[in-house]
Amino acid sequence: GGFTGDKQHPKDIDVVLDLTTTDDGAFRHWLVVFATQRPLIAEQFLVDFWIYHPTMSNDLRGFFHYIRPEEAQARGVSPDHRKGLLRIAL
């Protein structure tokens, strides 16, 4: 989000928790956390929190790589250029 752009004061950090390799119990746990505590996480930690699992329809992992055409033009990169993101494996 804003931390990979030109915003002087980004409002949050965008996080996608990739649950591809987790077992069903862990997936259900994080699904409940996502459904019930996302606003609290955003307020308390300034993190816009999302989850990904292959069974889910929305995959925001790719979304956060996207650069809007006007941003690409301002940076002098091609429209198919993607943002670099930090991946942390725990």
Side-chain angles (χ1 to χ4, degrees), residues 14-23 26-27 30-31 34 49-56 58-62 64-65 86-90:
D14 300 302
V15 173
V16 178
L17 180 59
D18 186 341
L19 301 171
T20 300
T21 60
T22 61
D23 60 43
F27 172 58
W30 286 108
L31 191 58
F34 175 74
F49 173 70
W50 304 92
I51 60 173
Y52 169 76
H53 189 270
T55 62
M56 299 176 70
N58 289 338
D59 182 357
L60 292 175
R61 297 173 306 165
F64 292 116
H65 285 272
L86 179 63
R87 180 182 183 126
I88 301 171
L90 302 174

Side-chain angles (χ1 to χ4, degrees), residues 27-90:
F27 172 58
R28 284 192 299 274
H29 166 78
W30 286 108
L31 191 58
V32 169
V33 169
F34 175 74
T36 62
Q37 298 184 35
R38 196 167 157 257
L40 177 65
I41 291 168
E43 179 183 324
Q44 199 168 31
F45 300 105
L46 300 177
V47 169
D48 198 5
F49 173 70
W50 304 92
I51 60 173
Y52 169 76
H53 189 270
T55 62
M56 299 176 70
S57 59
N58 289 338
D59 182 357
L60 292 175
R61 297 173 306 165
F63 173 77
F64 292 116
H65 285 272
Y66 175 74
I67 298 177
R68 289 180 283 167
E70 59 272 15
E71 290 176 349
Q73 185 177 14
R75 288 181 168 80
V77 297
S78 69
D80 62 341
H81 192 85
R82 296 294 174 248
K83 292 179 186 176
L85 302 178
L86 179 63
R87 180 182 183 126
I88 301 171
L90 302 174

Side-chain angles (χ1 to χ4, degrees), residues 1-14:
F3 284 94
T4 60
D6 294 331
K7 291 183 182 177
Q8 188 73 6
H9 300 285
K11 65 177 182 148
D12 63 14
I13 298 171
D14 300 302

